[in-house]
Amino acid sequence: MYGSTTTTTDNNINNDPNNPSPSPTPPPKGSTLTSGILNLSNTIVGAGMLGLPGAFAGTGHTAGMALLLVAATFSAHGLVLLSKSATAAGLPSSFYSVAAAAVPRYTVLIDLAVALKCFGVATDTTTMDYGVSPAGYLITISDSMVDALDHLLLTGDPDKDNTFLLRLFLSRRFWVVGALLSVLPFSFYRTLDELKRASALALVFVVLLVAMIVLYAHGIADPCVHVYEEECRGDVVPLTDFASTVSKIPVFVFAFTCQQNIFPIVNEMESSSSSLSQRRVDIVIVAAIGLALLIFSVVAVEGYRTFGSLARGDILLNYPENAQVTILRICISFMLALHYPLQLDPSRRCISSLVNVLMQSWESYRRRTEYSGGLSTRFFRKKHSSGLETELGNTTTHFLSEENESPPNHSYVESIPIEDTVKTDPEKMFYIITISFLSLSFLLAMMVDDLGIVLALVGATGSTLVSYVLPGLIYLKLHQDSSRCMAWVQLMVGLCVMPLSLYFILARKVVH
C-alpha cells in the first residue's frame, strides 16, 4: 500500500461477501534468485543459532543432527506449501489474502498472530534455548554492546571507571537508543528486494561468528583460558535420555522459522509464467534452507564438540572474556540490526491489513446505522403527520411509494462499494505503522530488560503456527492433489509441537 513501490502491504479489501480476500496492488517484479536467497537466509540465520550447541548438549550429536535435518525438511516443506497456496489464492499475495481464501473466518486472528510474533522477535522474545535470541533484537543489541565495551573500557581502577562518559557508554539504555538509530535506515524500505545488500552484509557477520567457533573447536584458540579443563568441557555423546531430547525439540523447530517472508518473495520474483515462478521460488527455498542448515550444523557440532554437555544456551557465555569474543559480540549487534527490518516488514504488512479491515468494517457499520436511522425517521414522519405536506414530507412519501412503503434490504447498502467512501493515504499509512512499530518496540526495550514468559509464549505459539499449522491447513483448504497427505503431516506435527513447546517453557519458568 505504499505508492508506486507497493508490495503486498497494500490490501485494498474486497467488500464482496462471497470473496472476502483482499486485492493487493501488484508489487514491482524483478527480484532475482540471489535477492530471494539472501533475504530468506537472513530471516532464518540469526542469533538463535547460538543456542544450538546447548540444544546438542541436551540431545547428543547424533540425535541433534537428526532433529536439525527433520526441522529443516519441515520448514522447507512449509515454505513450498505456502508458496503454492499464494499462487492458488492469486498474486500478489499476503498472509491475509491467502488466509482469507482458505479460512476466511480466521483471517484477522491469523494476521494478528503473525504481527505479534514478528513484533515479539523484534523487541524481546524467548531465550536462546528456544532458538531465537537471548532477549530480542533491540535488547540483545544493547546487551551485546554493553558486554563488549565492559571488557574493552573498564580498567579496574574505581576512579577511572566512574567517569560520566564511561558510565554513559556502559548504559544499556544508551545502546537501546543506538540500536534504534542503527535500524532506522533499513526500516523504511518498501520491498524485501531493497534489503538484499543488508542481508548480504549480515551474512558476512554470520561467517565471522562461525569462523570463531571453528577456531576454538580445533584448538587454534584456547576456549578454557583461566578455567580448569573439567569445568570447561563436558562429555560428548551421540545420544542422551528421552526426556532431555524431547525438551529440546522446540529449539530446532524455531531455528528455521521464516515463513512470514515467503509471500513478498513470491510476489517480487521475476518470472514469465506461474510454473517458472514456482520453480524459481523452490530454488530460493532449497538454497536458503540448505545454507541455513550448513551454518547451523557447523555451529552446533563445533560448539558442542568444544564444550560438550557444558555448552550453555548462549554459546558465547562459554568462551573467555577476551578481545576475540568482544569483537564477536559487536558483530552480533550489527547482525541483529540488519535482521530487524526482516521482522518489521511482515508485521507491518499484517498490521496494514488489519487497519484496512477495521476501517472498512467501521464504515460498513456506520452506513448501515445511518441508513436504518434515516429510514426510521421517514416512517415516523409519515405515520404521525397531521396532513401538513411539507417539502420534506412530499419527498418522503415519494420515496416510500417507490419502495412500496417497505424498507429496503441491508444488502442494498452493502452493495455500494465501501472503497468509494473509505479513503486512506497509502504513504501516510506506511509511515504511521512503521513509526508506531519502532516507537513501541523502543519503549518496551527501554523500560524492561526481558519481557520474559509472556513473549516466550507468544513466540512458541506464533512460530509453530506460522511454520507448521498454517502451511498445512491453508494448503488442505486450497488444493485437492496428492500433496495433501504431507500437508496433513505438517499440520499434525505443528499441533503436537505447539503444546510441547508451551509445556517446556512453563516448566522452565516453574523451575527457575
Side-chain angles (χ1 to χ4, degrees), residues 272-488:
S272 57
S273 67
S274 59
S275 60
L276 178 60
S277 177
Q278 185 60 52
R279 285 198 295 272
R280 291 170 64 84
V281 171
D282 290 345
I283 292 172
V284 168
I285 292 170
V286 172
I289 294 293
L291 178 60
L293 178 61
L294 175 62
I295 293 171
F296 287 170
S297 299
V298 173
V299 170
V301 171
E302 299 292 4
Y304 179 56
R305 174 183 172 183
T306 306
F307 300 106
S309 59
L310 297 181
R312 300 173 67 176
D314 176 359
I315 192 64
L316 288 187
L317 297 177
N318 285 94
Y319 293 104
E321 290 295 333
N322 55 26
Q324 295 95 313
V325 176
T326 296
I327 291 172
L328 282 181
R329 293 190 187 279
I330 296 174
C331 286
I332 289 173
S333 298
F334 284 113
M335 179 184 71
L336 292 180
L338 296 168
H339 280 202
Y340 187 94
L342 292 173
Q343 300 299 331
L344 186 155
D345 185 76
S347 186
R348 179 170 52 205
R349 297 171 192 274
C350 293
I351 293 170
S352 178
S353 298
L354 293 173
V355 169
N356 277 320
V357 170
L358 290 174
M359 290 180 64
Q360 295 196 13
S361 297
W362 168 252
E363 178 64 17
S364 178
Y365 170 78
R366 186 188 65 79
R367 285 169 50 188
R368 286 198 301 268
T369 303
E370 289 182 356
Y371 191 77
S372 299
L375 188 62
S376 299
T377 302
R378 293 187 182 101
F379 276 109
F380 180 83
R381 287 178 177 173
K382 182 173 186 252
K383 181 177 180 180
H384 295 282
S385 62
S386 56
L388 295 175
E389 294 292 328
T390 63
E391 183 179 351
L392 179 61
N394 289 330
T395 304
T396 303
T397 303
H398 177 68
F399 171 80
L400 290 173
S401 65
E402 287 186 343
E403 299 295 330
N404 297 322
E405 300 189 0
S406 61
N409 194 295
H410 278 301
S411 61
Y412 172 76
V413 181
E414 295 174 351
S415 66
I416 303 173
I418 291 180
E419 289 84 352
D420 293 341
T421 57
V422 177
K423 302 294 183 182
T424 60
D425 184 344
E427 193 76 7
K428 182 184 293 185
M429 183 70 71
F430 172 83
Y431 284 105
I432 289 175
I433 293 174
T434 304
I435 293 171
S436 298
F437 186 101
L438 289 167
S439 300
L440 185 56
S441 182
F442 169 73
L443 290 174
L444 286 174
M446 287 290 284
M447 289 188 295
V448 297
D449 295 336
D450 186 351
L451 293 179
I453 192 170
V454 175
L455 286 177
L457 296 175
V458 171
T461 54
S463 293
T464 310
L465 185 72
V466 169
S467 303
Y468 287 78
V469 177
L470 288 180
L473 178 62
I474 289 173
Y475 192 89
L476 288 170
K477 290 290 185 178
L478 295 180
H479 294 82
Q480 298 291 334
D481 55 30
S482 58
S483 297
R484 286 173 57 85
C485 179
M486 285 305 299
W488 273 111

Side-chain angles (χ1 to χ4, degrees), residues 32 43 53 88 98 118 174 200 231 259 281 299 344 357 361 380 386 512:
T32 63
T43 304
V98 174
C118 295
F174 173 80
E231 296 178 1
Q259 280 72 10
V281 171
V299 170
L344 186 155
V357 170
S361 297
F380 180 83
S386 56
H512 288 81

Side-chain angles (χ1 to χ4, degrees), residues 83-101:
S83 64
K84 289 183 176 181
S85 298
T87 304
L91 298 178
S93 62
S94 65
F95 247 119
Y96 185 95
S97 66
V98 174

